[in-house]
Amino acid sequence: EAQVTQNPRYLITVTGKKLTVTCSQNMNHEYMSWYRQDPGLGLRQIYYSMNVEVTDKGDVPEGYKVSRKEKRNFPLILESPSPNQTSLYFCASSLYTGSPLHFGNGTRLTVT
Amino acid sequence: QKEVEQDPGPLSVPEGAIVSLNCTYSNSAFQYFMWYRQYSRKGPELLMYTYSSGNKEDGRFTAQVDKSSKYISLFIRDSQPSDSATYLCAMSARSGGYQKVTFGIGTKLQVIP
């Protein structure tokens, strides 16, 4: 089944404790992206990747890192999480930039 | 002013009603227009994808784009309780070397049996 898989689905952590949210797609998509979704603000792009080893900042990249060492994986790293990073996070992929996005089922992160 | 404006609702309609969901935008460079449906605790899933002005129909769903008015709509005919979800409009424009997608905040729809 074609899908984007995120893990974990739910995560509660404390301020400053490094964490990684994994994202994997099995559709051989070139393009991958991370979004956060907050009430009243909608989906905002954090980082995106056009291809392996090519990543760039989205609209809200502060406090996040990403890497794209393999085509299928695009982990999101929070080196020192803060409470304002409490949010619902979505990974998405598409065949190429501009083609329809396929989303994972989200990771709900709470930072206390 | 946001690039994409969407009324968050909530919108409640009786089963069988025709639903109209709308977004306006300010960036005339938007080229591709999309509607996504998001069920609770799920990721958005693509419903409609259009490029040009005009209508596109898929079953009970019709997407309408009016580039001159910078206005897009999604119509749902014979609405069902299973249509209860949040509907996100999205549109993309070339930004540097890629198509940047901008989302509306979503309209929450409830179809009452």
Side-chain angles (χ1 to χ4, degrees):
Chain A
E1 181 191 350
Q3 59 186 3
V4 177
T5 303
Q6 291 179 233
N7 279 298
R9 289 294 309 275
Y10 301 92
L11 181 57
I12 301 174
T13 190
V14 295
T15 299
K17 187 176 181 182
K18 181 179 179 180
L19 66 91
T20 299
V21 184
T22 63
C23 174
S24 181
Q25 50 92 5
N26 62 0
M27 296 167 279
N28 203 35
H29 284 171
E30 301 280 334
Y31 180 84
M32 297 186 75
S33 184
W34 276 103
Y35 293 88
R36 59 179 289 173
Q37 187 175 40
D38 301 288
L41 297 176
L43 282 164
R44 294 179 293 166
Q45 190 179 50
I46 302 170
Y47 269 94
Y48 66 94
S49 171
M50 300 277 280
N51 211 328
V52 176
E53 302 293 359
V54 180
T55 64
D56 210 342
K57 296 176 181 178
D59 296 318
V60 288
E62 294 78 22
Y64 305 94
K65 284 176 58 177
V66 292
S67 69
R68 186 97 182 269
K69 294 185 171 58
E70 307 164 281
K71 197 172 190 178
R72 62 183 293 127
N73 295 324
F74 191 44
L76 179 69
I77 302 155
L78 284 71
E79 295 268 3
S80 182
S82 63
N84 65 10
Q85 292 178 299
T86 292
S87 187
L88 180 57
Y89 290 86
F90 287 101
C91 180
S93 72
S94 64
L95 190 57
Y96 46 81
T97 176
S99 58
L101 290 165
H102 297 253
F103 284 85
N105 278 327
T107 295
R108 184 166 290 283
L109 172 65
T110 302
V111 183
T112 62
Chain B
Q1 184 191 4
K2 289 182 181 177
E3 274 192 297
V4 178
E5 298 277 2
Q6 184 176 13
D7 188 332
L11 179 63
S12 288
V13 300
E15 183 175 353
I18 296 174
V19 176
S20 172
L21 304 167
N22 311 295
C23 287
T24 59
Y25 62 94
S26 57
N27 185 355
S28 57
F30 284 135
Q31 298 174 292
Y32 300 95
F33 303 89
M34 294 144 277
W35 285 95
Y36 286 84
R37 178 176 62 195
Q38 185 177 15
Y39 290 116
S40 180
R41 298 191 187 90
K42 295 284 189 181
E45 56 178 338
L46 182 73
L47 270 180
M48 302 289 276
Y49 182 86
T50 59
Y51 173 71
S52 58
S53 284
N55 294 352
K56 180 177 181 179
E57 191 173 317
D58 184 0
R60 295 185 295 111
F61 299 90
T62 300
Q64 191 174 79
V65 175
D66 182 346
K67 287 188 176 180
S68 62
S69 301
K70 297 190 179 68
Y71 188 90
I72 70 170
S73 300
L74 178 71
F75 298 96
I76 308 174
R77 288 185 300 281
D78 187 25
S79 56
Q80 303 295 309
S82 58
D83 295 327
S84 297
T86 297
Y87 291 80
L88 308 170
C89 64
M91 37 203 88
S92 70
R94 183 154 290 280
S95 174
Y98 87 115
Q99 284 279 341
K100 180 182 165 130
V101 180
T102 303
F103 289 86
I105 62 173
T107 300
K108 188 169 185 177
L109 171 67
Q110 184 178 22
V111 181
I112 314 279

